[in-house]
Every structure is written in C-alpha cells, then in structure tokens.
Amino acid sequence: MQGPSLHKRLFWEFDFDQIDWQKDAVSIIRRVIERGTQEEWQELIRYYSEPKVISTIKNDIKFLPDYSIEEVCHFFNLKPEELLCFARKQSRPGHWI
C-alpha cells in the first residue's frame, strides 16, 4: 500500500521507501504535525482520516513543542488540556533557569 503524499525531507533519517505507513502512524503523524506544513497536515487527514489524526494527537503523542501544540489546537479546534503531550508537560515542570 502506498503511503501519503509527503515530502521525503520530513523523514531524512529513514529509508523513505521502507516506511510502514500503518505501523508507524503515530511517529509519522507526530513528525508531520511538528515539522510539516498545513498542506501536509491535510494530506495526513486524507490518508489516515481526521478522526484517526485527532485521536493520535490527543491520546498517543507524548511530546510536541509549545508552538506545535498551539498550532494543532487552532487547526483542529482542540483545547491544550485535551492533549496527552500538554498534560504530561504540565505534570513535569521544567527548571526555572
């Protein structure tokens, strides 16, 4: 089965032709959310379905940078509190320096 139409630049450290698009869906969705464009986000939705992408973002991705959390909440109309990565970040306060 052919994967989504995503640019190889997002997966520079992998053998692009050997990616298992189903088995590695969580890692792929995280990578595209963190480093991709909104057009590439649309491709994730086309390939995996919007419910699958939203469920993965909410329940399976353990870390996203703050800018990605903000963008994903705006794009998918979510609240940060709904995201596992946000809850984990709140429960692990960083150093103040």
Side-chain angles (χ1 to χ4, degrees):
M1 176 180 206
Q2 181 159 345
S5 180
L6 296 168
H7 197 282
K8 289 181 180 185
R9 72 172 164 70
L10 293 168
F11 307 98
W12 67 88
E13 75 268 44
F14 300 103
D15 181 348
F16 190 80
D17 297 324
Q18 298 300 314
I19 293 174
D20 185 328
W21 298 101
Q22 296 307 313
K23 187 179 105 190
D24 299 326
V26 172
S27 297
I28 291 162
I29 292 169
R30 182 193 53 78
R31 175 66 59 98
V32 175
I33 292 298
E34 187 174 340
R35 300 180 184 272
T37 65
Q38 288 192 355
E39 290 79 19
E40 290 164 326
W41 292 12
Q42 291 289 355
E43 179 61 10
L44 287 178
I45 291 167
R46 184 200 66 76
Y47 185 78
Y48 291 112
S49 83
E50 187 168 14
K52 166 75 173 168
V53 172
I54 290 173
S55 175
T56 300
I57 292 167
K58 289 171 73 174
N59 303 311
D60 300 317
I61 296 176
K62 295 179 181 168
F63 175 81
L64 284 174
D66 290 341
Y67 69 87
S68 292
I69 291 172
E70 188 175 314
E71 289 176 6
V72 85
C73 287
H74 178 73
F75 187 87
F76 290 103
N77 196 29
L78 300 171
K79 293 183 172 110
E81 298 80 21
E82 297 178 84
L83 279 56
L84 172 65
C85 62
F86 184 81
R88 284 175 51 93
K89 188 175 284 202
Q90 297 304 305
S91 69
R92 298 174 179 209
H95 296 288
W96 54 273
I97 52 173

